[in-house]
Amino acid sequence: MPLYLGFGVTTKLNNKVTTSFDFTKLYWDNTDQSQNNERYTNQDIYAFGAEYLPGGRNNKYWSLVKYRFGLNYNTGFLNISNQKIDSYFASVGLGLPLSNRAKLNISYSYGREGTLNKGLVEENFHKITINLNFIGNWFNKRQYD
């Protein structure tokens, strides 16, 4: 496995907008792995995300929904025939409250990985993600009087 370093910054603006930026560097060169015309090369991953929560004084359902957007660029760790295999994708999503302790998260992503240069393969993809998030105090020790 390669050595990796990363950092991230998150900011919250006026209790409605949250933005995040992450950067990760993976040092694949130091692993000395190669095969025929393939070799591992250092990889950079850039990710940006934003979340908007309308909020407000009313507790209407749509004011409690979180609206999300994200971008990701990955330089890739493979170099095939002196061609780097990179990828990118963009996503949009919603965080739908089901109760005070549960949320349904739905997102759609579109992206591309690879290249058509030098006879290689490029993949365009669509992805839908659905997950259920339970919020709670799972590991707190109960106190009895």
Side-chain angles (χ1 to χ4, degrees):
M1 293 303 296
L3 170 69
Y4 69 91
L5 301 171
F7 72 89
V9 176
T10 298
T11 60
K12 191 164 191 164
L13 311 168
N14 66 20
N15 290 331
K16 290 187 180 223
V17 177
T18 303
T19 62
S20 296
F21 174 77
D22 287 311
F23 172 76
T24 305
K25 175 93 173 176
L26 292 98
Y27 294 93
W28 288 97
D29 278 350
N30 298 339
T31 63
D32 290 327
Q33 300 179 62
S34 65
Q35 297 178 21
N36 300 331
N37 65 345
E38 302 172 8
R39 65 182 172 83
Y40 288 89
T41 137
N42 291 340
Q43 176 182 21
D44 296 328
I45 302 171
Y46 304 90
F48 172 79
E51 177 181 81
Y52 175 69
L53 176 63
R57 295 176 194 232
N58 60 21
N59 271 342
K60 294 195 179 191
Y61 183 79
W62 291 105
S63 68
L64 302 174
V65 171
K66 292 182 177 182
Y67 301 86
R68 299 179 178 129
F69 169 77
L71 295 170
N72 183 291
Y73 176 68
N74 183 341
T75 63
F77 62 90
L78 273 180
N79 189 319
I80 301 174
S81 299
N82 291 322
Q83 182 67 49
K84 204 129 170 161
I85 308 300
D86 64 346
S87 67
Y88 68 85
F89 70 86
S91 63
V92 294
L94 298 172
L96 305 168
L98 300 177
S99 71
N100 287 344
R101 297 187 154 244
K103 269 196 194 297
L104 177 66
N105 297 299
I106 301 172
S107 70
Y108 165 77
S109 301
Y110 171 76
R112 181 197 57 81
E113 183 170 20
T115 181
L116 295 176
N117 294 340
K118 298 188 179 182
L120 297 174
V121 176
E122 179 178 278
E123 175 185 28
N124 295 306
F125 61 88
H126 301 269
K127 180 169 78 169
I128 293 176
T129 305
I130 299 172
N131 78 42
L132 189 57
N133 185 1
F134 292 103
I135 304 159
N137 298 324
W138 293 85
F139 301 103
N140 288 347
K141 189 174 183 178
R142 291 186 184 227
Q143 294 182 354
Y144 300 99
D145 291 329

